[in-house]
Amino acid sequence: MGESYAEIDVSAWRSVVDDAREVVRAAPSLESAMQAVCRVLGERFSDTTALVRGYALLDYDELEPAIAAFVTRAAEEGGRSLGADTPVLTLLGSWGSRPEWCDRRRSEGHVGIPLLSGDFVGGIPMVARLLVELGVELSWLDDVATGSARKLAGGLQRDVLRRRRATREGR
């Protein structure tokens, strides 16, 4: 039986983080580490969480062939083209209440999301909602070609880390 992530105390969160660290240290690759972390979180919070996914931001030319083909089709269907350095939100781990949700390769629509523009990503409800919930407006994606998107994504990561640090320090 799982717990509710909203109701556990700090010591329980430390246990979750320790479990995640342990599986990451043992993982031979980023993909296996992400899958293991998704499993730890999914199992720990199974009562309140239906699906846990882990993504990494990769350049298009770093994608494995199956994901590159998926991303290419998605871009072409949206009337867009990709460059070697187009950032792609790439699914590396998945765990959920349905068996098919426990393997990223079985994802039907979210294995790779090219960050081409705010309108393009806005047409992918799960990803658009995630970004909005993180306080990120989709308009920042309109500067992908200039490299601003990566700077903004890095800034978002720094902001999240800064907020976590402030929370830990009781500010």
Side-chain angles (χ1 to χ4, degrees):
M1 184 185 252
E3 300 173 73
S4 167
Y5 61 87
E7 297 172 358
I8 68 171
D9 61 20
V10 172
S11 64
W13 268 116
R14 286 188 181 119
S15 172
V16 171
V17 170
D18 289 343
D19 290 349
R21 274 192 189 118
E22 190 174 313
V23 298
V24 167
R25 282 189 189 115
S29 67
L30 178 58
E31 178 185 344
S32 61
M34 190 74 78
Q35 181 63 32
V37 168
C38 288
R39 181 185 50 77
V40 165
L41 294 173
E43 289 176 350
R44 183 72 180 255
F45 303 112
S46 62
D47 286 352
T48 56
T49 304
L51 177 64
V52 178
R53 290 212 155 153
Y55 288 86
L57 193 60
L58 302 176
D59 285 342
Y60 175 74
D61 67 352
E62 297 173 317
L63 301 176
E64 64 184 58
I67 295 174
F70 175 87
V71 168
T72 299
R73 279 191 308 277
E76 288 172 352
E77 288 171 7
R80 306 288 184 138
S81 61
L82 300 162
D85 62 348
T86 298
V88 178
L89 199 56
T90 308
L91 182 63
L92 294 183
S94 184
W95 193 261
S97 56
R98 296 182 183 175
E100 65 270 21
W101 291 351
C102 295
D103 180 354
R104 74 170 179 94
R105 287 175 178 80
R106 294 177 68 187
S107 175
E108 294 181 12
H110 299 96
V111 295
I113 294 108
L115 301 182
L116 295 168
S117 71
D119 288 342
F120 185 87
V121 174
I124 307 167
M126 184 183 85
V127 176
R129 182 173 174 190
L130 170 66
L131 292 172
V132 169
E133 286 181 6
L134 288 171
V136 178
E137 293 192 30
L138 297 180
S139 61
W140 69 275
L141 293 170
D142 296 328
D143 292 329
V144 167
T146 65
S148 296
R150 287 197 185 279
K151 291 177 194 168
L152 287 165
L156 172 64
Q157 182 178 3
R158 282 190 301 278
D159 289 346
V160 168
L161 293 173
R162 199 175 303 126
R163 277 185 254 144
R164 284 185 192 156
R165 195 173 315 118
T167 300
R168 273 196 318 265
E169 294 170 0
R171 288 190 252 157

